[in-house]
Amino acid sequence: MTSLLAQIITVTMMNIRSLPQRLWMSLAMVLASAVVVAILLAFLAMAEGFESTMNGAGSDRVAVLMREGSAAELNSVVSREQVNLIAESPGIARDGNNTPLVSPELYVVVDGLKKSSATEANIPLRGINAEGMAMRENMQLIEGRMFTPGTNELIVGAGVLREFDGFAIGEEVRFGKNVWTVVGVFSTGGNVFESELWADVTVIQSHYDRGSSYQIIRAQLATPGDISDLEKTIEQEPRLNLEVQTESAYFAGQGKQLQYMAIFGRVISAIMALGALAGALNTMYTSVADRAREIATLRTLGFSNFSAFCGTLIEALVLAATGGLLGSVAAFLFFDGLSASTLGGSFTQVVFSFEMSPDLFAQGAKLALLIGFVSGFFPAWRAARLPVIVAFRAAT
Amino acid sequence: MNNLYLIYKNMTRKPLRLFLTCFAIFIAFLIFTAVTTLKSALNSGIDLAADDRLVVVNRINFTKSLPIAYHRKVAAIEGVKDVTHVNWFGGYYQDAKNQIVTMAVDPESYLRVYEEVVLEPEQKASWLQARQGILLGRKLAEAQGWKIGDKIPLSSNIFSNKDGGHSWDFVVSGIFDGIDEHYDTRYALIHYKYFIETQTFGGDWIGWMTLVTEDPSLNQQVADAIDNSFANSQNETDTSTEKAFNKAFIEQIGNIGLIIFGVVFMAFFTILVVVGNTMALAVRERTGEIAVLKTLGFSAKRVFAMVLTESMLIALIGGFLGLAVGWVIIEGAKSSMAQFLPNLAVGGDIVGQALLYMILLGLVTGLIPAYNALRLNIITAFNRS
């Protein structure tokens, strides 16, 4: 048993030491598996980043109410009267002063200049009040101060600041005929709210002729995740043509789109992997053919078929793993933390970052090893089975 | 023994290697075809927009509406030949996922401005008379199986009906075609008046205006005149050509698209490099044989041509297979993707590009070994092996 192990080690070391002789072919295989792994990781990192941006926004403790049938905030309208009815409904949490924690919000779309392309893109400008602010527990001002209610002041999400020009603190921004002053930068822990601008809700109502209407009601639930009381209220009160869902359910629905990207990425990298596999198989067959005489000599000397098999297989695995490692490092350097933005559910930009998690690296490593195994197995089989006489003849 | 026979023998000597090489090229071009087709489908809205049409939207954003009074004011501006206004209805049929692109328009001016819409005169007359009439694009009607005279309830995910609920009943008055097959007819038109009178909010507002100028050279002047006349009003406008407007919208999908295409393209070229390396190696291995050929009296030129033809053949076989299978896949996906990407088709420019890359691959991988073969000194070659 030990001698078999020793044989395998000897053959493997020999193969690996002779790699420089087959430099170009070996590099080709490394490159091929590196590219496949890098593609897979790029797509997965994008999907993961987008998902965590969407999911991080949703809380189970908050209910979202919109006009029935409106798939997204932009399409919804909610009246002041409805807000009051909801505030009195059972199932809603109240603060120390017995004030119901209800945040009616209004949302308009404004243009910002994208840094990356210098083109205009849609940013949501959200009108919000103090309760709404309190409801977003992970919201914190990282710079500047809060806007003063009743004035044309706004605070800007960290994501907007990253992707768009002209939103630094103290700058004046013009939307239509209104001029706003940026007074603060807020972070909400990387979730989708960071892609927004926030200002006083009543100021937005008056600037944008919205009267006393809102688009969405956020309400803190007395029992997290339990919207049954609210559903009952809506059912009994004909004036409430609203739909209620928890915030986490709402954002999970909104995040669906980019999941298709992840599927697309997996399909592309699977197909690419087939192409890379063909290249890798070529490499390994050539490698075996190059060393036919070597292998034959070893076997004449008494090395077993199995050790010849293992030697070749390990060589392939080493090459593919090197490629996988290179690909992962490249993907990490290029994509981790890369800020990107795209059109979200309401015709507005969602800013998110590519996220490279350890789980992704594991997936990349698996793919690389799979390529290495398949591309090594068949040539190794051939190396082990090739009759010694034939090998000597072929080599001369 | 003619050249082709020799090339064939050379190529098929190691059938497995030939297969693997062709397969890798096949995969690379398959992906190239699929991805570039997707990309061009995304951009097709820009290419099809007319040059002389301008779009007037609210300066804040196109999702914010404009007062209907603007329509008359714009019509009076010098250089404006015709103007129509459009409201986005946000329509869907039965299920919110089954979206029907529906626009509430001023019928007569819409048909004047959008000359691409081709409609039988009697259908046009019947639509203009029927308040509840809806005009369907041919592709939309076919996809949903709707015929003239059908009564269809459409719901809106934005507006609500005065009767309560979000549904409106429409009767199909006509089915229109596009002026050419690239014109996307997957949308429906309804009467603005009927829409505005039956909805609960947003009365007397329009989504955006489309206008044609008397001459495309007047575009800039007209756009400036429109924007200036509404400057500092409650609703400022932003006027741009239809092309620029569509382009701006597509660009919002953003750097995601750019990153994906970048990554896929890098992968495409890497696969080509890897494959090219194998192909070049295959020729290098045969130095001895080339020397034999030369000894037998084959001219250097003939050997050069043979080596180059071989690498070209491999690149073209793999490439064309990839292109063909890519085409089959795109054709298959066409119908299921039609809702999002109506213009999914492998265009001539994509085929041309693919062909160019195949030839380049064949040249680059074949040229150096072929040149080496050309210059090969018989004696050194024999010594080497």
Side-chain angles (χ1 to χ4, degrees):
Chain A
M1 191 63 210
T2 38
S3 76
L4 185 62
L5 200 67
Q7 278 186 14
I8 293 173
I9 292 171
T10 316
V11 177
T12 307
M13 287 317 292
M14 211 175 76
N15 285 354
I16 289 175
R17 284 213 198 96
S18 66
L19 275 180
Q21 284 172 20
R22 302 181 297 278
L23 182 69
W24 289 109
M25 286 307 282
S26 312
L27 275 184
M29 178 166 173
V30 170
L31 192 62
S33 63
V35 165
V36 173
V37 169
I39 296 185
L40 179 74
L41 291 190
F43 275 101
L44 293 184
M46 180 170 74
E48 185 126 329
F50 189 80
E51 211 167 290
S52 73
T53 300
M54 289 315 252
N55 291 347
S59 157
D60 251 351
R61 307 181 50 195
V62 175
V64 170
L65 295 109
M66 288 187 291
R67 189 173 52 74
E68 54 175 327
S70 49
E73 264 182 277
L74 193 71
N75 297 338
S76 166
V77 177
V78 175
S79 66
R80 177 79 244 172
E81 183 193 20
Q82 289 173 326
V83 174
N84 293 340
L85 285 167
I86 287 296
E88 295 311 315
S89 160
I92 288 189
R94 287 166 184 266
D95 65 8
N97 306 325
N98 206 27
T99 317
L101 285 169
V102 169
S103 162
E105 290 167 19
L106 183 62
Y107 176 104
V108 292
V109 180
V110 296
D111 276 335
L113 208 57
K114 249 186 177 173
K115 276 181 186 164
S116 58
S117 55
T119 50
E120 288 191 336
N122 303 339
I123 315 176
L125 168 61
R126 182 182 297 276
I128 194 169
N129 63 12
E131 278 83 23
M133 220 69 89
M135 220 173 276
R136 292 169 168 86
E137 285 158 348
N138 49 5
M139 180 270 183
Q140 69 192 110
L141 274 178
I142 48 179
E143 234 182 293
R145 60 176 173 85
M146 182 53 65
F147 58 79
T148 318
T151 63
N152 279 11
E153 289 179 346
L154 56 82
I155 56 174
V156 46
V160 175
L161 201 61
R162 216 162 56 218
E163 281 284 302
F164 291 89
D165 265 331
F167 289 102
I169 288 189
E171 282 203 63
E172 294 197 327
V173 218
R174 208 179 117 92
F175 303 132
K177 70 185 187 67
N178 304 309
V179 178
W180 300 78
T181 313
V182 181
V183 296
V185 180
F186 68 90
S187 157
T188 51
N191 68 30
V192 69
F193 292 122
E194 277 189 9
S195 314
E196 300 183 345
L197 308 169
W198 286 358
D200 184 23
V201 64
T202 48
V203 174
I204 293 185
Q205 277 178 337
S206 75
H207 281 338
Y208 288 84
D209 291 322
R210 295 300 171 101
S212 62
S213 77
Y214 300 92
Q215 267 158 327
I216 193 167
I217 309 175
R218 285 193 154 69
Q220 185 121 7
L221 293 164
T223 335
D226 180 16
I227 53 170
S228 57
D229 282 333
L230 276 169
E231 277 173 336
K232 227 174 277 163
T233 312
I234 291 168
E235 209 173 295
Q236 285 161 0
E237 173 55 74
R239 281 175 291 177
L240 289 174
N241 58 337
L242 299 176
E243 253 166 31
V244 60
Q245 52 190 330
T246 63
E247 202 180 40
S248 44
Y250 171 69
F251 280 113
Q254 297 262 305
K256 281 265 152 40
Q257 303 169 304
L258 262 205
Q259 279 169 10
Y260 294 117
M261 279 294 181
I263 297 172
F264 178 71
R266 273 178 204 274
V267 171
I268 288 253
S269 44
I271 296 175
M272 278 284 181
L274 285 179
L277 200 60
L281 272 168
N282 256 339
T283 307
M284 289 316 294
Y285 275 122
T286 311
S287 164
V288 169
D290 272 1
R291 285 177 299 116
R293 185 202 283 262
E294 245 170 76
I295 295 169
T297 311
L298 282 174
R299 285 175 48 203
T300 322
L301 289 176
F303 279 80
S304 70
N305 288 355
F306 186 68
S307 62
F309 175 84
C310 285
T312 308
L313 186 60
I314 294 172
E315 177 189 339
L317 284 174
V318 167
L319 287 177
T322 312
L325 196 68
L326 265 177
S328 305
V329 170
F332 182 78
L333 289 180
F334 285 116
F335 296 115
D336 189 53
L338 183 73
S339 177
S341 60
T342 191
L343 217 49
S346 306
F347 287 131
T348 55
Q349 296 281 309
V350 176
V351 180
F352 65 97
S353 300
F354 283 55
E355 253 174 52
M356 211 68 104
S357 67
D359 171 54
L360 295 194
F361 284 116
Q363 290 201 35
K366 261 187 239 161
L367 182 66
L369 288 179
L370 185 72
I371 292 176
F373 183 77
V374 176
S375 64
F377 187 84
F378 298 100
W381 191 254
R382 173 182 281 187
R385 297 293 299 272
L386 201 64
V388 174
I389 302 269
V390 178
F392 273 120
R393 206 184 297 142
T396 40
Chain B
M1 250 199 283
N2 63 17
N3 283 359
L4 271 179
Y5 180 74
L6 275 177
I7 292 167
Y8 170 76
K9 275 288 171 194
N10 263 334
M11 259 171 66
T12 52
R13 173 164 34 180
K14 285 190 173 163
L16 186 64
R17 176 185 285 172
L18 175 70
F19 169 76
L20 290 173
T21 310
C22 281
F23 183 74
I25 300 173
F26 159 77
I27 291 285
F29 278 93
L30 173 67
I31 289 178
F32 174 84
T33 310
V35 171
T36 35
T37 306
L38 266 177
K39 193 178 168 200
S40 79
L42 275 175
N43 288 332
S44 63
I46 304 171
D47 302 334
L48 290 174
D51 273 327
D52 62 340
R53 267 205 301 255
L54 299 180
V55 182
V56 186
V57 295
N58 194 307
R59 177 168 293 269
I60 287 169
N61 189 272
F62 74 95
T63 55
K64 175 115 170 70
S65 30
L66 293 166
I68 179 110
Y70 279 26
H71 182 237
R72 200 161 294 149
K73 286 186 193 155
V74 167
I77 283 171
E78 200 179 327
V80 175
K81 194 165 128 201
D82 231 321
V83 55
T84 189
H85 58 81
V86 181
N87 278 56
W88 180 255
F89 179 69
Y92 63 90
Y93 179 64
Q94 288 176 342
D95 182 1
K97 285 198 186 85
N98 186 13
Q99 293 217 6
I100 312 283
V101 176
T102 314
M103 285 172 294
V105 299
D106 175 48
E108 280 163 55
S109 62
Y110 186 89
L111 292 178
R112 281 202 308 270
V113 168
Y114 284 90
E115 285 167 339
E116 297 97 319
V117 173
V118 181
L119 186 63
E120 303 249 338
E122 58 266 33
Q123 291 182 15
K124 181 176 168 184
S126 101
W127 183 51
L128 292 180
Q129 278 166 10
R131 248 169 68 89
Q132 288 189 306
I134 186 169
L135 209 54
L136 303 176
R138 174 81 58 197
K139 286 182 193 159
L140 172 65
E142 277 167 8
Q144 301 283 347
W146 290 331
K147 285 178 282 301
I148 294 179
D150 280 0
K151 209 170 170 187
I152 46 173
L154 285 190
S155 310
S156 165
N157 59 24
I158 306 175
F159 302 98
S160 45
N161 198 318
K162 273 184 182 148
D163 311 338
H166 302 282
S167 288
W168 274 261
D169 284 323
F170 296 103
V171 179
V172 181
S173 311
I175 292 174
F176 65 84
D177 287 292
I179 203 159
D180 69 56
E181 59 170 330
H182 288 298
Y183 186 70
D184 183 22
T185 55
R186 279 169 211 280
Y187 67 97
L189 299 169
I190 58 175
H191 286 258
Y192 173 76
K193 278 207 178 102
Y194 172 57
F195 160 71
I196 218 76
E197 284 163 14
T198 49
Q199 46 124 307
T200 48
F201 64 93
D204 291 338
W205 290 85
I206 53 177
W208 67 89
M209 287 179 274
T210 309
L211 61 95
V212 271
T213 53
E214 270 154 11
D215 189 295
S217 65
L218 294 174
N219 281 358
Q220 194 54 47
Q221 190 189 326
V222 171
D224 290 343
I226 293 171
D227 290 345
N228 286 338
S229 68
F230 300 115
N232 292 322
S233 72
Q234 191 68 32
N235 293 281
E236 296 188 30
T237 58
D238 186 13
T239 307
S240 56
T241 62
E242 197 168 46
K243 209 171 228 163
F245 181 77
N246 289 351
K247 192 160 174 253
F249 190 76
I250 302 239
E251 273 171 359
Q252 293 222 33
I253 294 174
N255 28 29
I256 285 208
L258 213 68
I259 291 166
I260 294 172
F261 295 127
V263 167
V264 171
F265 261 78
M266 261 166 47
F268 171 69
F269 285 111
T270 320
I271 294 260
L272 293 192
V273 168
V274 169
V275 171
N277 186 25
T278 317
M279 285 161 68
L281 182 98
V283 179
R284 266 207 305 277
E285 274 181 6
R286 292 204 304 260
T287 315
E289 282 156 49
I290 291 170
V292 172
L293 281 181
K294 280 186 153 183
T295 320
L296 289 176
F298 278 65
S299 72
K301 239 161 108 189
R302 192 169 165 193
V303 175
F304 178 84
M306 271 168 52
V307 173
L308 198 59
T309 316
E310 188 187 333
S311 68
M312 280 292 205
L313 264 178
I314 295 178
L316 288 175
I317 291 171
F320 269 113
L321 278 177
L323 198 61
V325 173
W327 181 81
V328 169
I329 291 175
I330 295 278
E331 286 297 305
K334 225 179 195 169
S335 54
S336 57
M337 299 280 284
Q339 213 186 340
F340 317 103
L341 291 168
N343 291 302
L344 206 59
V346 184
D349 50 334
I350 293 171
V351 175
Q353 258 183 44
L355 193 65
L356 185 77
Y357 286 131
M358 288 175 219
I359 292 174
L360 269 178
L361 174 70
L363 274 182
V364 170
T365 53
L367 213 49
I368 296 168
Y371 181 71
N372 286 342
L374 179 79
R375 300 240 337 233
L376 188 72
N377 185 311
I378 302 172
I379 297 169
T380 22
F382 280 128
N383 276 343
R384 219 187 291 168
S385 58

